[in-house]
């Protein structure tokens, strides 16, 4: 495929505009990725409107990540089997339908499954579009420009989840008018802006989206699909149930996790035996790819370890409004957006090892103070620390993603993208479920007796705030632990000029 903009050709040999293609993909995928964290600020509102607990409300995020994690392994088959243009169009339509379903859900606890179904449909679509975007970037940009291309992708993968809480907080504060449409201060309006972007993208996509990923004939390996779905589904389902059922629940937690691990191992074993695997797990024979994938997962866990709990801390402990808590996170989101392309350019010059070590070091240092946040901690202090964390995340995420893709030949990019994103989403789902359960359990164990509420309301409020703080402190500490682990593992990355253009024989290992 031609690399010069004026001569860019699709797989049918027809010229197309690379700039127009990238813009529409970035904007539409941004709208989809907003869903990953946009409800974080709205959790207290959902709890109130649906009359549900924090653990149940967090299912809006954990179910999204669960279905997303199940769907991403399937994306490797879909991306190489079906034409790029129509795969995008179908995915965008499904995403639009999922948002509409969630937005129309009646605010009663009995209808909560309907809301979750809408979230699952959104996640199914994002499970296709996110890895597809990365694969498109690999196919339309040469390796020497791949760092900055992945940096642009970072505006979506990194900035969208980071800006989600701020956007939803702004919407929940008061009525707004966008394109002549009035958005009221309801969680339903959170879905309207992404739906507008998607509607425009669907229409423009008929003209601007092109087939840029080579297709290959092949049949869906149904047994592998079943093993993958049961494996990742059961594993993530078990972790999702931890928040509501606790770690001691054999039926809903322990058994699903064990069953998931068994089926994931069976899935991997079967892929090694197939001539045309459903997901080519042999890409993990490439050491550089494996290490970068582990680091990406750790970075996601470190990020989500604070990302999902910080809005709750600011609203429940400091009593901030959704808008104010969202605005407190905005500088961090802007930092992520600013630094992602810069980190991509830096990757092209110095490589992923140096950047990841610096990034994880910054992430560790900036997370440590979160373990000591109190009732009287100034919000601007939290804002500065959060922005510093997002600086570290930006230094890590895009260079590692670009490094993972560059470690593999282009023909294996679809499998590498699917494997990398599966690790990313599984890690996100696990850490959200884990931290939600830990926080909820600590709060429950330290909640003062109910009679204190009537006898001494001020004392009750103080003890309740301290109970919440204890839960948040532990969650932030776990987030820092993942950052420390990333700092250690980053030292095993190859340097900029090492392990370059590794040729992998997937039957005999690394040459």
């Amino acid at each position: 495929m031609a690399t010069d903009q004026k001569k860019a050709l699709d797989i049918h040999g027809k010229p197309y505009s690379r700039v127009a293609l990238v813009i529409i993909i970035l904007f539409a995928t941004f709208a989809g990725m907003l869903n990953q964290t946009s409800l974080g600020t709205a959790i207290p509102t959902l709890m109130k409107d649906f009359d549900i607990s924090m653990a149940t409300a967090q299912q809006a995020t954990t179910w999204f990540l669960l279905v997303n994690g199940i769907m991403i392994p399937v994306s490797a088959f879909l991306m190489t089997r079906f034409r790029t243009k129509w795969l995008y169009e179908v995915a965008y339509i499904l995403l639009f339908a999922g948002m509409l379903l969630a937005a129309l859900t009646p605010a009663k606890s009995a209808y909560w499954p309907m809301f979750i179904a809408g979230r699952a449909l959104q996640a199914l679509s994002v499970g296709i579009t996110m890895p597809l975007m990365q694969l498109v970037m690999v196919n339309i940009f040469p390796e020497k420009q791949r760092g900055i291309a992945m940096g642009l992708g970072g505006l979506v993968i990194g900035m969208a989840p980071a800006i989600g809480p701020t956007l939803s907080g702004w919407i929940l504060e008061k009525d707004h008018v966008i394109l002549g449409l009035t958005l009221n201060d309801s969680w339903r309006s959170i879905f309207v802006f992404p739906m507008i972007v998607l509607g425009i993208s669907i229409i423009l996509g008929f003209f601007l989206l092109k087939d840029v990923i080579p297709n290959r004939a092949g049949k869906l390996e149904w047994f592998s699909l079943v093993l993958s779905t049961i494996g990742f589904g059961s594993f993530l389902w078990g972790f999702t149930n931890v928040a509501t059922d606790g770690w001691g629940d054999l039926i809903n937690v322990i058994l699903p996790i064990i069953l998931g691990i068994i089926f994931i191992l069976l899935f991997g074993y079967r892929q090694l035996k197939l001539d045309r695997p459903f997901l080519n797990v042999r890409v993990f024979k490439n050491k550089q790819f494996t290490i970068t994938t582990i680091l990406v997962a750790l970075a996601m866990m470190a990020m989500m370890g604070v990302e999902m709990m910080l809005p709750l801390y600011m609203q429940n402990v400091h009593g901030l409004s959704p808008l104010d808590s969202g605005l407190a996170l905005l500088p961090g989101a802007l930092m992520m957006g600013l630094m992602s392309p810069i980190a991509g350019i830096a990757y092209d010059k110095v490589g992923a090892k140096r950047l990841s070590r610096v990034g994880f070091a910054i992430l560790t240092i900036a997370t440590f103070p979160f373990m000591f946040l109190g009732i009287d901690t100034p919000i601007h202090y939290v804002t500065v620390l959060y922005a510093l964390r997002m600086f570290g995340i930006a230094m890590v995420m895009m260079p590692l993603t670009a490094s993972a893709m560059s470690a593999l030949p282009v023909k294996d990019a679809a499998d590498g993208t699917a494997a990398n994103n599966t690790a990313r989403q599984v890690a996100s789902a696990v850490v959200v479920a884990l931290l939600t359960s830990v926080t909820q359990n600590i709060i429950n164990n330290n909640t003062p007796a109910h009679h204190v509420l009537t006898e001494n309301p001020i004392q009750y409020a103080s003890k309740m705030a301290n109970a919440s703080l204890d839960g948040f402190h532990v969650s932030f500490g776990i987030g820092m632990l993942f950052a420390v682990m990333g700092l250690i593992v980053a030292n095993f990355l190859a340097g900029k000029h090492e392990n370059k253009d590794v040729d992998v024989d997937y039957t005999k290992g690394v040459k």
Side-chain angles (χ1 to χ4, degrees), residues 22 54 78 103 260 303 322 373 378 453:
V22 169
M54 181 182 76
L78 297 177
M303 183 177 78
L373 296 182
L453 177 61

Side-chain angles (χ1 to χ4, degrees), residues 59-97:
Q59 290 177 355
T61 298
T62 53
W63 267 93
F64 182 93
L65 296 171
L66 187 154
V67 176
N68 204 230
I70 293 174
M71 193 61 202
I72 287 177
V74 186
S75 67
F77 169 80
L78 297 177
M79 290 186 295
T80 55
R81 180 63 180 84
F82 298 102
R83 292 169 57 181
T84 310
K85 176 178 180 177
W86 296 112
L87 186 57
Y88 261 128
E89 287 291 303
V90 171
Y92 291 158
I93 291 171
L94 289 176
L95 182 56
F96 188 94

